[in-house]
Amino acid sequence: MDHGMQRPTTLESLPTGRSAQHAVVDQARQALGTIILGKDEQISLALACLLARGHLLIEDLPGLGKTMLAQALARVLGLSFRRIQFTSDLLPADIIGVSIFRPESGEFEFQPGPVFSQLILADEVNRATPKTQSALLEAMEEQQVSVDGSTRQLPTPFFVVATQNPGDQIGTFPLPESQLDRFLMRVEIGYPDEQSERELIAGEDRRLMLKDLAAVTAPEMLTALQSAVREIPITDALVSYVQALVRHTRESADIEIGLSPRGAQALVAAARAYAFVENHSGVYPDDVQAVFSSVAGHRLKPAGSTRFRSPAELCQHVLDSVAIP
Amino acid sequence: MVRPRGTDGALLSSLPWTLMALVFSLAPHVPFIPIWITAAFLGCAGWRYVIEKQRRALPGTWVRALLALGCFLGVLATYGGISGVGPGSALLAIMAALKLLETRKRRDQFVLLFLSIFLVMSSLLREQYLWSLPYMLLSILVVMTAWLRMSAGKSQTARQSFATGGRLLMYAAPLAIVMWIFFPRISTPFWAVPIDTSRASSGISDTMSPGDISQLSMSDEVAFRVSFDGAIPEPRDRYWRGLVLTRFNGRTWSAREPGISRFARDQIEIIGERVDYNITLEPTRQQWLFALDMPYTWSLSKTFMGPQQQLARSIPIDQRISYNATSYTDYRVQTDLSRQYRIWYSDLPEGSNPRTAELAREMRAAAGSDRAFVNAVLDKLNQEEYYYTLEPPPLGSNPVDRFLFETRRGFCEHYASAFSVMMRSAGIPTRIVLGYHGGELNPMGGHLTVRQSDAHAWTEIWIADLGWHRVDPTAAVAPERIEMSASDAAFDGIRAAWGFTAPSRLLHQMALTWDALNTKWNEWILGYGPETQNSFMQWLGMNEPSWRKMLLTLVCLVIGIIMLISVILMVRYRPPAKDAAAIHYQRFVKKTGLDPQTGETPCVFALRAQEAGIIPSEAVAAITEAYMVARYGPGGDTSLERLKHAVSAIG
């Protein structure tokens, strides 16, 4: 495949204006929309998550397009992609790589594992043992791995998209809260609506379509977009709103453990990226509300007596209880 | 690695405020402490500021230790001790100055500000004037501002800190007032405020040597203030009796030690109307009390009447005191005087003032009776060339002779002394009364202010059947001195000398107003002692006020006030002021006729508003867009203008 025409590779040719940058994001969004039907919100969230330099956790039942979303993201953003299927016998070395003795040179040579890619799909991350999980999570946090006493830098940008099956309780090791914190967002995909499902059933095979999907951007471009996201202004009014939300999660009787300051930072970072995706002039309360459930859902610990059945419901309740300044 | 020894300049922003707080709290002490301490303080303050400004190192331990020792010895040498108000406040000032030199952190600044509050308080040990209160409040405000400046963020201006300090003071004010009213006053305090003995005592001395003083100072200081229950007596009756001089050694008249007499009050035979009044006496550090001639009853503990009807207290008057008294301006005293006393009261030393004695005997023989003799002497003073002056020539030995026959110039003491010597030479019992005469009526306060310049001396002679009878020889020489008060006379002089009246009259008016305010201050604030508190409590409806009841009331009120202030603060709490964009947007929200729900963003609300259809959809979109940019976006005036116009357009 030749994507030469669409892939700007030098910094000089990068679009710099805000509208041009947003055009790139919009193209990516549309391209993803042709593969994942009727899931515009999830697509925007996933894009925002990557633009905010965060890692993404997709949690849903099998067959709803988790893997498809991750693959499409890698394609559209022009990132090198590797998929790791997590199983209970997966070892840390299977992810990071191993040093192999080369008899001809008489030296150990490091064979990089699948983690040395720009976008990694960690499929069913909760099937692996905690030891293996933490090897990945270390890499996510530090963007580097240590093998045989030497530190090796992972590529930039570096994203982990992990998937998790919620219903599967047998033979799984659910991620503890502290490790869930490493993911900026947790997104649920859910069933497609009727119209979208019709198209999926009747239409072209999405796997084949994926192969033809063109990249709209390149890693350098993505880095520039990420920097642009950080320049979106945050007003006092918005900070007050975020603070009010965070305070409410800490004081609410329905929530045992509220958002930490790191959680609040994550909320602002995600809202910034979402505002960028939505092409807002600043971060609006709508942006905070849009990302709130994804950012806060896996960071809150609901109280045992809570009347809310899902984290999403709980988050919506928080949004409905806090006035916008 | 060598540790950098300089300061890091972190205190640079708050240090000037700390220094200012110290200057404010030290200022009232400056007139009383030695000049070198003030200089040392200013030097240390300047030094410390330069250190901070130029990131120099603070002086070393040895330098500081030497300075501390030197200053301590300096205070010891200046005062000869370290106890008392004077050395105490001098030490406080020195401590503040030296503490500056080891102020490294915020904690040290706290210590400095505590010191300055202590300095403010200790200034009350010296003076409690009316202007002290506003000045103290200002000082405390500056200290609190300095306090707030230490923790102020960069965005907070000094003016905001000042306002916060003021607000905190306002919250504290009701508590302070309640504590002042209800904290039980005890007549014998557990503690005693040490008296600053370094100040010279003012007022009337208990001896009188006419001719020794060649210039009588016209001190404007207030001696006492009087408020009358009824009519104010005529100026010629305003003789404020103080002490009585009975012994003369040829030069000096002297009083006996204050002593109690069981008969003195019984010797008074009252005739006319009673005069009730209240006197607020400034501290004299003497035992004599002043009362309108002739005092009959008085309400002050430890006070008694001496054998010559003079009032005295068994303890010196170290603080301003207030007492009620009743006097009779028309009276007769001791119509019956034993022969022994008659001789004692007309005793003169052998051979002193011989010419005066000779003249008196001649005039007595010519007059025929005691009364005629008295009138003849007064006539002589009136008609011959005698002058009233405040700057008489010195008299030397046999002062009365020299005064009567040569200099012929003097003030009340000279005339009283000369008259008494003549009376005694003729065998008429005579005594000299020292006190004040006159007093200035303050039309604003309705009270009489008696100043040190109103000090006066007059005589009392004993005449059979009439008893002790007041004769004021000064009145014979300078009747206007008696009709007006001395300060009025002086005021006329000033007016004449300057040749204009209006400014001086205005000044005089201002002085009167100030004096009236001072009187109320003394009466209501400083005079709020155990008795006043008791009567005030009874007026409030407390039966048999005791310190337990007052303390209980105090505690209840303090708790109540704190709760009240908390409630007010909670009720008055508003979320931070909305900006201009929010105010315009609220106008729009009102016009839509819808209530935004909690957590509903403006964009979602816009959809609802468009559905409701009261306001055109385009206008709703435009307003919401402009509002979001103005409030949450990069802002700028253009979006705010757009919002303003869009909102104005719809209604």
Side-chain angles (χ1 to χ4, degrees):
Chain A
M1 260 181 297
D2 183 20
H3 301 295
M5 290 313 286
Q6 290 125 329
R7 288 186 62 176
T9 48
T10 58
L11 278 171
E12 283 78 14
S13 60
L14 292 176
T16 48
R18 178 71 195 273
S19 52
Q21 288 174 337
H22 182 253
V24 174
V25 175
D26 234 23
Q27 281 173 25
R29 201 148 61 150
Q30 277 167 15
L32 288 167
T34 59
I35 305 290
I36 320 286
L37 292 175
K39 292 289 164 197
D40 291 346
E41 198 195 327
Q42 280 79 355
I43 289 169
S44 294
L45 283 171
L47 271 176
C49 181
L50 301 195
L51 286 175
R53 299 171 205 243
H55 305 288
L56 181 65
L57 180 65
I58 305 177
E59 187 172 291
D60 228 321
L61 300 168
L64 290 174
K66 297 192 292 276
T67 315
M68 189 69 78
L69 177 60
Q71 282 181 334
L73 270 174
R75 278 263 173 214
V76 167
L77 299 177
L79 303 173
S80 62
F81 174 75
R82 291 288 274 280
R83 172 183 174 158
I84 312 166
Q85 179 64 47
F86 276 49
T87 54
S88 56
D89 56 356
L90 191 76
L91 295 176
D94 296 331
I95 298 172
I96 293 164
V98 283
S99 293
I100 296 166
F101 184 70
R102 295 282 179 202
E104 51 267 45
S105 61
E107 284 176 351
F108 282 94
E109 194 190 355
F110 179 66
Q111 199 66 43
V115 79
F116 287 88
S117 303
Q118 287 167 324
L119 196 149
I120 299 158
L121 173 63
D123 226 352
E124 297 186 273
V125 72
N126 54 342
R127 288 206 174 274
T129 54
K131 192 176 178 183
T132 312
Q133 282 174 359
S134 61
L136 176 72
L137 294 161
E138 291 288 348
M140 284 163 61
E141 188 74 5
E142 314 285 340
Q143 219 193 324
Q144 63 185 27
V145 289
S146 299
V147 189
D148 300 333
S150 66
T151 306
R152 286 170 197 278
Q153 204 66 33
L154 293 171
T156 307
F158 176 71
F159 293 123
V160 173
V161 178
T163 69
Q164 192 167 240
N165 291 345
D168 233 359
Q169 294 299 326
I170 301 159
T172 57
F173 304 91
L175 292 172
E177 277 100 357
S178 63
Q179 301 206 334
L180 280 174
D181 204 36
R182 305 268 163 86
F183 292 97
L184 179 64
M185 289 191 194
R186 184 180 66 175
V187 175
E188 288 167 23
I189 292 184
Y191 295 112
D193 56 50
E194 212 162 302
Q195 178 62 34
S196 305
E197 195 149 27
R198 259 187 112 75
E199 274 184 53
L200 277 175
I201 297 165
E204 213 180 323
D205 185 355
R206 302 287 142 179
R207 282 175 207 281
L208 292 175
M209 278 176 74
L210 194 62
K211 292 230 163 61
D212 294 334
L213 201 60
V216 299
T217 179
E220 294 85 355
M221 176 68 200
L222 194 60
T223 314
L225 292 180
Q226 286 171 339
S227 306
V229 163
R230 291 190 175 196
E231 277 158 25
I232 296 183
I234 301 271
T235 60
D236 278 352
L238 188 98
V239 174
S240 308
Y241 182 47
V242 170
Q243 263 192 316
L245 283 173
V246 169
R247 196 166 46 236
H248 189 269
T249 64
R250 291 173 192 164
E251 289 167 1
S252 167
D254 290 314
I255 299 167
E256 194 180 317
I257 298 173
L259 280 181
S260 62
R262 189 159 67 184
Q265 282 176 333
L267 184 57
V268 170
R272 255 188 172 138
Y274 198 84
F276 189 81
V277 171
E278 293 287 317
N279 200 20
H280 288 158
S281 66
V283 183
Y284 295 175
D286 308 74
D287 301 320
V288 176
Q289 295 197 344
V291 300
F292 187 71
S293 175
S294 310
V295 174
H298 59 293
R299 285 183 166 91
L300 296 178
K301 188 174 179 194
S305 60
T306 182
R307 58 189 188 276
F308 303 104
R309 280 168 300 154
S310 71
E313 245 176 73
L314 178 63
C315 289
Q316 190 55 48
H317 175 70
V318 172
L319 290 178
D320 289 341
S321 329
V322 177
I324 294 164
Chain B
M1 195 179 93
V2 180
R3 203 162 56 90
R5 290 187 62 236
T7 56
D8 55 3
L11 303 181
L12 196 55
S13 59
S14 57
L15 192 66
W17 280 97
T18 309
L19 293 180
M20 195 152 110
L22 281 170
V23 167
F24 261 83
S25 50
L26 195 62
H29 292 276
V30 166
F32 305 105
I33 56 178
I35 189 77
W36 66 267
I37 290 182
T38 313
F41 172 78
L42 290 177
C44 286
W47 188 11
R48 182 64 185 86
Y49 186 71
V50 169
I51 286 173
E52 195 69 25
K53 185 103 184 159
Q54 303 182 349
R55 313 277 161 91
R56 301 245 186 106
L58 290 169
T61 315
W62 279 106
V63 179
R64 292 201 312 264
L66 277 176
L67 275 175
L69 189 68
C71 289
F72 179 75
L73 291 177
V75 171
L76 210 58
T78 313
Y79 288 97
I82 54 161
S83 66
V85 177
S89 50
L91 275 180
L92 260 182
I94 276 300
M95 272 157 65
L98 295 179
K99 181 69 194 169
L100 269 172
L101 297 182
E102 54 170 26
T103 296
R104 288 173 210 282
K105 293 182 198 137
R106 191 175 283 186
R107 199 189 60 196
D108 303 313
Q109 269 179 303
F110 278 130
V111 174
L112 278 173
L113 291 178
F114 275 124
L115 265 180
S116 56
I117 285 187
F118 211 78
L119 276 169
V120 171
M121 284 199 311
S122 62
S123 74
L124 280 182
L125 297 179
R126 297 185 188 280
E127 294 175 315
Q128 306 180 357
Y129 295 132
L130 175 54
W131 54 260
S132 313
L133 182 70
Y135 183 82
M136 276 179 70
L137 285 177
L138 181 68
S139 308
I140 295 288
L141 200 53
V142 172
V143 172
M144 287 178 67
T145 309
W147 220 297
L148 290 165
R149 287 319 287 166
M150 278 196 284
S151 52
K154 279 205 175 67
S155 61
Q156 202 175 21
T157 61
R159 185 190 290 249
Q160 283 172 317
S161 303
F162 197 72
T164 309
R167 213 164 45 239
L168 290 173
L169 269 190
M170 297 257 277
Y171 294 146
L175 288 177
I177 291 170
V178 161
M179 287 200 179
W180 180 77
I181 291 177
F182 286 97
F183 194 86
R185 313 285 159 124
I186 295 157
S187 38
T188 46
F190 299 124
W191 61 90
V193 175
I195 297 302
D196 188 5
T197 48
S198 57
R199 289 168 78 189
S201 66
S202 60
I204 287 182
S205 71
D206 48 8
T207 59
M208 183 182 103
S209 316
D212 282 3
I213 305 163
S214 62
Q215 188 168 15
L216 189 68
S217 72
M218 287 286 287
S219 165
D220 239 4
E221 259 183 70
V222 173
F224 53 89
R225 295 185 174 87
V226 196
S227 52
F228 292 91
D229 288 353
I232 301 175
E234 291 297 306
R236 63 186 149 76
D237 284 334
R238 291 179 202 158
Y239 281 88
W240 304 99
R241 191 183 186 87
L243 58 154
V244 180
L245 310 179
T246 51
R247 286 188 296 190
F248 185 57
N249 67 359
R251 261 186 87 96
T252 303
W253 289 88
S254 55
R256 304 220 303 197
E257 287 288 302
I260 190 164
S261 161
R262 273 183 292 154
F263 312 108
R265 194 164 169 276
D266 299 336
Q267 290 161 358
I268 303 172
E269 190 185 320
I270 53 179
I271 299 168
E273 291 285 302
R274 58 187 281 170
V275 182
D276 295 310
Y277 54 92
N278 175 275
I279 288 188
T280 310
L281 182 64
E282 299 293 315
T284 60
R285 295 163 225 290
Q286 291 177 334
Q287 287 168 262
W288 310 109
L289 293 179
F290 298 92
L292 189 67
D293 217 6
M294 176 58 76
Y296 196 66
T297 58
W298 56 92
S299 69
L300 189 67
S301 58
K302 298 170 189 154
T303 304
F304 46 82
M305 189 174 257
Q308 288 90 29
Q309 286 78 33
Q310 67 273 57
L311 291 183
R313 206 170 187 213
S314 58
I315 46 172
I317 295 138
D318 289 332
Q319 292 172 332
R320 185 180 291 108
I321 54 166
S322 171
Y323 50 93
N324 294 316
T326 305
S327 295
Y328 291 84
T329 51
D330 210 355
Y331 59 89
R332 245 179 239 156
V333 176
Q334 212 175 2
T335 43
D336 185 27
L337 193 63
S338 70
R339 197 183 133 68
Q340 197 189 342
Y341 271 115
R342 266 183 261 170
I343 293 169
W344 191 76
Y345 275 119
S346 48
D347 178 51
L348 284 172
E350 284 294 320
S352 74
N353 301 306
R355 290 174 69 188
T356 308
E358 182 60 35
L359 177 70
R361 277 193 285 275
E362 280 172 19
M363 284 178 77
R364 172 69 183 86
S369 75
D370 280 353
R371 290 184 187 219
F373 169 63
V374 170
N375 287 332
V377 172
L378 289 176
D379 282 348
K380 175 182 163 66
L381 291 176
N382 189 359
Q383 276 149 30
E384 290 182 22
E385 291 210 347
Y386 288 98
Y387 301 100
Y388 182 83
T389 174
L390 296 176
E391 293 174 31
L395 295 177
S397 63
N398 289 331
V400 178
D401 275 5
R402 197 166 137 71
F403 167 70
L404 271 182
F405 297 102
E406 290 167 38
T407 66
R408 292 167 175 260
R409 276 156 222 276
F411 46 86
C412 54
E413 292 190 358
H414 300 75
Y415 291 101
S417 173
F419 183 77
S420 304
V421 171
M422 287 189 80
M423 290 299 122
R424 285 196 173 188
S425 301
I428 301 173
T430 311
R431 58 196 190 189
I432 292 181
V433 185
L434 289 187
Y436 294 85
H437 176 262
E440 185 182 18
L441 181 66
N442 189 320
M444 262 152 265
H447 63 270
L448 214 58
T449 306
V450 179
R451 299 178 187 280
Q452 294 301 349
S453 52
D454 293 324
H456 192 47
W458 64 91
T459 60
E460 282 179 330
I461 55 174
W462 187 86
I463 295 175
D465 301 334
L466 211 58
W468 286 102
H469 182 71
R470 182 172 66 220
V471 178
D472 189 350
T474 315
V477 184
E480 74 281 356
R481 169 71 177 77
I482 303 308
E483 290 302 320
M484 296 199 283
S485 75
S487 40
D488 273 349
F491 174 63
D492 277 354
I494 293 168
R495 192 158 64 185
W498 286 81
F500 53 84
T501 49
S504 48
R505 178 150 294 168
L506 183 71
L507 278 177
H508 190 61
Q509 200 69 22
M510 279 161 62
L512 283 179
T513 313
W514 179 243
D515 190 63
L517 282 173
N518 252 313
T519 307
K520 292 288 171 233
W521 172 255
N522 291 341
E523 201 174 318
W524 290 104
I525 308 297
L526 299 180
Y528 189 70
E531 293 91 7
T532 343
Q533 189 180 36
N534 245 336
S535 50
F536 187 68
M537 290 298 129
Q538 275 167 351
W539 181 82
L540 282 179
M542 191 186 282
N543 301 323
E544 296 168 41
S546 67
W547 67 267
R548 279 171 216 274
K549 279 187 191 171
M550 283 189 237
L551 221 50
L552 194 68
T553 319
L554 178 64
V555 168
C556 294
L557 277 171
V558 164
I559 292 172
I561 288 175
I562 289 175
M563 280 169 68
L564 190 71
I565 291 176
S566 320
V567 166
I568 289 173
L569 284 181
M570 276 196 279
V571 168
R572 279 193 54 203
Y573 176 78
R574 294 273 178 280
K578 299 209 165 180
D579 61 8
I583 293 165
H584 291 304
Y585 184 71
Q586 285 307 317
R587 281 173 52 207
F588 156 73
V589 168
K590 251 188 188 163
K591 283 177 185 149
T592 60
L594 300 171
D595 279 334
Q597 282 154 10
T598 312
E600 188 178 32
T601 67
C603 299
V604 179
F605 180 75
L607 293 177
R608 259 197 324 137
Q610 283 174 335
E611 264 173 41
I614 294 171
I615 293 166
S617 293
E618 304 81 56
V620 172
I623 288 169
T624 307
E625 195 269 339
Y627 171 60
M628 294 310 276
V629 173
R631 189 145 164 79
Y632 294 103
D637 291 338
T638 54
S639 54
L640 192 59
E641 280 300 306
R642 271 194 293 138
L643 175 65
K644 213 163 134 186
H645 284 299
V647 173
S648 313
I650 56 167

